[in-house]
Structure formats: C-alpha cells, structure tokens
C-alpha cells in the first residue's frame, strides 16, 4: 500500500526530531567527554544524580537566605565586620545535608569566640528566632581553632551551621576549590558523587576517625592532578603563586573573595564522567597510604617523610593546601584505614563487573 502524504510528512518530522536529538546528545557528550566507553551507564547515573549548578537548587537559595539573616543580626550588634558564606557550600561542592560554613571577620582586629567579641557573636546568633542549639566546638584535635555551631530551623527544613572567626585559611581554601571548579565542570560531578558514595558506605564520618568532606575534595583534586595519563589539573598554587599564595601571612585579612576571577579552560583530556569516577575509585583502591602523602599544593606524588611517632600514627596523610597541616590527623586506626580502602576496592569491582549499574550510589 503506497504511503500517503500525511505519512510522508510524519516520517520527515520524525527524521527532523531524530536529527535534533542526536545533536543535543553530541553536545552533552562533548561537554562531559567524547569517549564512548563501558562506563557510559555510570556517566548517565552521575548526570541524573548531580544537577549542573547548585545555584539553581532551592536548598542553595535557602542557605543564601540563612547567611543574609545571620549577617543582619551580627552586623546590627558588631561594627565593621564581614559575614560571608565559605567552605564547600560556597564552592558548590557540598551535599544538601552538609553544614553551611560561615566566616566572620572584623576590620580592626582578630576575634576568638572565647573573647568578649566572641560572646557578642554568640548573643547575636541567639537573638535570631530561627536559631537553636548554639554551642562552641573545636575544629582540630589540638583545640586551637574554635567555631560556633548551631541549627538554623526554617519552615521548610533544618540546616547545620558552623561559624568560624578570622579563619583566613578557610577563606582561601574556598577560593582555591572554587577556582578548580571553574577549570573543569566534571570536577563538580565527581566530587558530589564521591561524597554521596562515601556517605552511603559510612566512610564519610570525620568524628568517627574516617574521611571528611574536606579531605575527600582534596583527594579528588589530587586524582585530577596525578591520577590520569592526561591530567586535567595542574597545581594552581605552582602555576600562579601570586594569586594562590601558600604564605598565609601575606594575605590581607579584610580581603573577602567574590570568586569572579576567570580561568582559561584548556582541555585535552576527553574522559567521560563515568571513566573519571571509575578511575578515581581505582586510584585510591590501589593507593599506598603508608608510603605517600596527598598534597595538592605541590601537585605531585610525595613520599611520607619519617618525622615523629605522632606523624607515623596518621594512617592517611592529606595536607591542607595553604598551611600544610594534616587535615586527616584523626585517622589513626588501622581498622578505619582498612575500612576506607576496602570500600574503594569493593566499589571498583562492582563498576568493573557492571553490577548494580542502575543504582550507582548503592554499591
């Protein structure tokens, strides 16, 4: 039976639709890597799980309103101060349930939460009707860095908040992480997916002697620097030491970055998201934590140097990018080290054998 004119028009339209669809698919493929591999299913799951920009997330807008609210209460009581969002949330590398980190600084002098100015901050925070459970906590095991933690309860949900006073290192680490994010959008996807994966497998518990979100972000950057045949990142601190100074004493205290700097994107690595995530899992499944440190400031594999018994007790050494301190100094148990490495090894076996690929985040 010959085709009618209607059926011809239908077939033409369907061809047009198919052509458009393939064009869109090509653009998405070009954005996240052009190589078609066995990890394409993983790539699709990552794209389904992670939104491209947290700026469009309703949670992020609630977090921005939270910071504005806290800022207004503090600035009505304390003059010449700055209250800014920092950390993973400001760098768009946080999970929705991650604590919102805020940096408080004064123009005239440094502030410690235990000083008179510190008590004024606490009073200002407690005056906010949405705030609950205000308390002072210690950021590190040496009990030197103190922060104020509290719950901010909106009518939609509760947020954990951490307010730091004059932590310049946190400010510049935020700037550094955001800069890496701007270099390549795949970094955002791998970090968020890695955090959710680690959370589900109960190795993202810093207070339990396991990994922190901060340490895991550094581990992803390090993998992008040295874990690929064709690296995606070089060390920004090596390439541009003036902009990313490793000497905190040279950083003006009253210099809150707005993250507007742009960086030229020069991409030669075409790996897809699935390939990068599988490579990240494999890299740390086989990483020798007993012999090597993770240091993104130098951007190369550095051997662990025998220093003292305290240093040797650290099962995983992840260096802070500016002050060179060990951010994983709480990982001292061999059992916890084995739990972390085993989680990586099990996940890589699952990915390689294409088991449970429909549920990427439930390895």
């Amino acid at each position: 039976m010959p085709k009618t004119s209607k059926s011809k028009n239908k077939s033409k339209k369907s061809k047009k639709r198919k052509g458009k669809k393939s064009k869109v698919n090509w653009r998405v493929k070009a954005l996240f890597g052009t190589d078609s591999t066995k990890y394409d299913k993983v790539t699709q799951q990552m794209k389904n799980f992670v939104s491209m920009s947290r700026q469009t997330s309703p949670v992020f807008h609630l977090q921005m309103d939270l910071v504005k609210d806290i800022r207004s209460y503090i600035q009505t009581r304390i003059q010449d101060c700055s209250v800014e969002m920092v950390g993973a949330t400001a760098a768009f590398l946080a999970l929705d349930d991650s604590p919102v980190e805020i940096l408080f600084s004064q123009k005239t002098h440094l502030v410690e939460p235990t000083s008179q100015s510190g008590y004024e901050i606490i009073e200002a925070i407690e005056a906010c009707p949405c705030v609950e459970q205000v308390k002072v906590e210690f950021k590190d095991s040496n009990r030197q860095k103190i922060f104020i933690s509290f719950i901010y309860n909106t009518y939609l949900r509760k947020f954990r908040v951490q307010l730091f006073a004059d932590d310049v290192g946190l400010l510049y680490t935020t700037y550094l992480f955001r800069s890496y994010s701007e270099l390549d959008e795949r970094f955002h996807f791998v970090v968020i997916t890695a955090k959710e994966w680690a959370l589900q497998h109960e190795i993202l518990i810093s207070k339990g002697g396991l990994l922190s979100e901060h340490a895991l972000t550094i581990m992803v950057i390090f993998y992008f620097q040295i874990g690929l045949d064709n690296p995606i990142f070089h060390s920004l601190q090596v390439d541009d030491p003036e902009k990313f100074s490793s000497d905190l004493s040279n950083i003006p205290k009253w210099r809150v970055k707005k993250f507007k700097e742009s960086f030229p994107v020069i991409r030669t690595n075409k790996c897809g998201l699935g390939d990068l995530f599988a490579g990240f899992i494999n890299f740390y499944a086989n990483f020798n934590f007993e012999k090597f440190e993770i240091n993104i400031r130098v951007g190369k594999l550095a051997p662990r140097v025998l220093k003292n018994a305290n240093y040797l007790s650290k099962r995983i050494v992840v260096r802070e990018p500016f002050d060179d301190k060990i951010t994983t100094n709480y990982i001292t148990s061999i059992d916890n080290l084995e739990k972390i490495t085993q989680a990586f090894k099990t996940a890589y076996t699952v990915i390689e054998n294409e088991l449970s690929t429909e549920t990427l985040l439930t390895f």
Side-chain angles (χ1 to χ4, degrees):
M1 185 176 172
K3 287 185 179 179
T4 62
S5 59
K6 283 186 179 179
S7 63
K8 285 181 181 178
N9 289 336
K10 269 188 179 180
S11 63
K12 282 181 181 178
K13 283 181 181 178
S14 64
K15 281 180 183 177
K16 282 182 180 178
R17 284 196 201 103
K18 284 180 182 176
K20 284 182 181 178
K21 191 175 180 182
S22 64
K23 187 176 181 182
V24 172
N25 282 344
W26 177 83
R27 289 179 66 188
V28 171
K29 204 75 174 175
L31 184 64
F32 297 113
T34 55
D35 296 338
S36 178
T37 71
K38 67 178 180 179
Y39 302 118
D40 284 349
K41 283 185 180 179
V42 179
T43 296
Q44 190 56 51
Q45 290 152 24
M46 291 174 71
K47 286 191 278 188
N48 291 341
F49 174 71
V50 185
S51 63
M52 180 57 195
S53 172
R54 281 187 44 85
Q55 287 140 303
T56 61
S57 165
V59 173
F60 180 75
H61 287 293
L62 287 173
Q63 291 168 337
M64 289 293 289
D65 291 339
L66 175 164
V67 175
K68 288 177 185 176
D69 196 19
I70 298 298
R71 182 187 297 123
S72 66
Y73 274 90
I74 291 178
Q75 289 182 339
T76 55
R77 289 163 174 77
I78 303 174
Q79 301 298 314
D80 296 325
C81 70
S82 169
V83 179
E84 302 291 340
M85 180 189 288
V86 291
T89 308
F92 307 114
L93 297 172
L95 299 174
D96 284 347
D97 293 329
S98 302
V100 179
E101 295 176 313
I102 300 174
L103 179 69
F104 170 89
S105 57
Q106 279 193 284
K107 192 173 184 179
T108 52
H109 60 280
L110 295 174
V111 176
E112 286 295 333
T114 51
S115 67
Q116 183 59 39
S117 297
Y119 290 118
E120 289 175 359
I121 300 171
I122 295 174
E123 288 175 2
I125 292 171
E126 289 179 331
C128 180
C130 296
V131 167
E132 305 170 354
Q133 303 174 30
V134 180
K135 57 183 177 180
V136 175
E137 295 190 24
F138 295 94
K139 185 179 178 183
D140 58 358
S141 58
N142 296 325
R143 302 172 74 85
Q144 292 177 344
K145 290 187 178 180
I146 301 171
F147 65 91
I148 302 167
S149 69
F150 54 92
I151 302 296
Y152 188 92
N153 190 359
T154 70
Y155 64 94
L156 291 174
R157 63 177 294 165
K158 292 182 179 181
F159 292 98
R160 290 179 295 138
V161 184
Q162 296 174 344
L163 186 144
F164 301 87
D166 293 305
D167 193 334
V168 184
L170 176 60
L171 174 66
Y172 262 59
T173 299
T174 306
Y175 174 55
L176 181 68
F177 286 179
R178 182 67 185 271
S179 301
Y180 276 116
S181 292
E182 291 178 359
L183 282 176
D184 195 296
E185 67 280 349
R186 293 173 292 180
F187 172 65
H188 168 83
F189 277 80
V190 176
V191 169
I192 297 295
T193 306
K195 286 182 178 182
E196 183 63 24
W197 165 77
L199 185 65
Q200 288 192 12
H201 290 271
E202 299 180 344
I203 60 170
L204 197 67
I205 314 169
S206 59
K207 288 186 178 179
L210 297 163
L211 293 172
S212 66
E213 286 193 48
H214 179 69
L216 199 57
T217 301
I218 293 175
M219 289 169 70
V220 175
I221 294 173
F222 192 65
Y223 161 66
F224 272 47
Q225 288 176 338
I226 76 154
L228 297 158
D229 291 335
N230 190 1
I232 295 174
F233 291 160
H234 297 287
S235 170
L236 289 176
Q237 292 166 277
V238 171
D239 290 351
D240 196 341
E242 290 185 10
K243 187 176 287 184
F244 302 98
S245 171
S246 58
D247 184 1
L248 290 177
S249 63
N250 292 333
I251 299 173
K253 189 172 71 65
W254 190 250
R255 187 181 174 190
V256 178
K257 288 286 182 180
K258 299 300 182 184
F259 313 122
K260 290 182 179 177
E261 285 78 356
S262 58
F263 301 90
V265 178
I266 303 171
R267 178 180 302 158
T268 55
N269 184 305
K270 302 294 184 182
C271 287
L273 290 176
D275 298 76
L276 290 175
F277 183 70
F280 166 75
I281 294 293
N282 184 41
F283 180 72
Y284 286 108
N286 296 286
F287 192 84
N288 193 332
F289 291 104
E290 294 180 358
K291 289 188 176 181
F292 299 104
E293 296 184 346
I294 296 167
N295 190 331
I296 63 172
R297 182 172 60 84
V298 296
K300 60 184 180 181
L301 200 62
R304 291 185 60 162
V305 180
L306 182 63
K307 294 182 179 178
N308 53 47
N310 185 45
Y311 174 80
L312 290 175
S313 69
K314 316 305 178 190
R315 303 300 173 186
I316 296 177
V317 176
V318 177
R319 295 281 182 184
E320 289 285 357
F322 288 100
D323 59 19
D324 216 31
K325 290 181 180 177
I326 302 174
T327 189
T328 49
N329 58 10
Y330 46 81
I331 304 178
T332 56
S333 163
I334 293 178
D335 291 341
N336 283 350
L337 173 62
E338 288 178 355
K339 183 176 181 178
I340 292 167
T341 54
Q342 189 57 47
F344 278 102
K345 288 175 181 177
T346 302
Y348 186 68
T349 301
V350 170
I351 293 174
E352 279 297 284
N353 294 326
E354 298 190 67
L355 302 173
S356 304
T357 51
E358 296 304 317
T359 53
L360 170 66
L361 298 175
T362 55
F363 291 145

